[in-house]
Amino acid sequence: MSSQRSSRKTDTAVAPAVARYKNVLRQVLDNRPSGTRQKLALALGKNRSFISQISSPLYPVPIPVQHLETLFGVCHFAPHERDEFLAAYAEAHHTRMRAAEARPATRNLVLTVPDLGSVERNHRLDELVAEMVRSLVRHIELM
């Protein structure tokens, strides 16, 4: 029972910081041109409902740390917006931030591919391209 109480305390202690970074993201998205949410969804390989969940403080869904650089790039955060977002994110998810800092740097590459006419076929193409990139990176690292 006491472990449940401590878990609840942790959850409620983190919630304001999560709401704070989600509010920053929501404000950024609200001040960008229409279509930014869709561009972000495409860049992350997610659907628009995921963007709604990660940008609403009403949803407990955290923003995965591996999506942060894509988020900053697509949404064109101003330096002060990025600083405010990262401060709240680090407060809410300090262990995720440490894990992210320990990983090698990455960069995003956006490709334009044909629409194959179905969600399943498009998803399969996306997975094949992702696997090809992982394979190429492994090959280059062995050189």
Side-chain angles (χ1 to χ4, degrees):
M1 185 79 141
S2 65
S3 66
Q4 287 178 341
R5 284 186 187 141
S6 65
S7 174
R8 285 186 196 135
K9 284 181 185 177
T10 302
D11 292 345
T12 56
V14 171
V18 172
R20 202 163 47 255
Y21 77 71
K22 287 185 172 206
N23 278 324
V24 173
L25 174 58
R26 187 179 56 196
Q27 289 170 357
V28 167
L29 288 170
D30 288 348
N31 291 321
R32 298 305 178 264
S34 66
T36 301
R37 284 176 171 79
Q38 183 62 39
K39 286 180 187 175
L40 181 58
L42 289 171
L44 295 175
K46 304 290 184 183
N47 56 41
R48 283 214 28 177
S49 66
F50 178 77
I51 305 307
S52 296
Q53 290 176 2
I54 65 169
S55 63
S56 173
L58 300 176
Y59 290 98
V61 177
I63 299 175
V65 70
Q66 68 269 22
H67 294 332
L68 296 184
E69 287 305 318
T70 302
L71 185 85
F72 297 143
V74 172
C75 298
H76 304 288
F77 275 58
H80 73 278
E81 292 167 331
R82 183 181 172 120
D83 292 345
E84 184 181 352
F85 180 93
L86 285 173
Y89 192 91
E91 182 183 336
H93 309 298
H94 57 279
T95 55
R96 289 178 191 208
M97 289 298 286
R98 279 198 307 266
E101 291 165 356
R103 281 193 298 215
T106 61
R107 61 189 183 94
N108 293 309
L109 177 65
V110 177
L111 300 173
T112 302
V113 296
D115 185 332
L116 299 177
S118 77
V119 172
E120 295 83 17
R121 292 179 68 199
N122 286 339
H123 181 70
R124 180 75 178 129
L125 176 62
D126 296 350
E127 290 299 315
L128 287 170
V129 170
E131 180 52 39
M132 181 183 70
V133 169
R134 287 189 293 270
S135 177
L136 288 170
V137 169
R138 283 192 302 268
H139 178 72
I140 289 170
E141 288 175 342
L142 293 174
M143 296 175 109

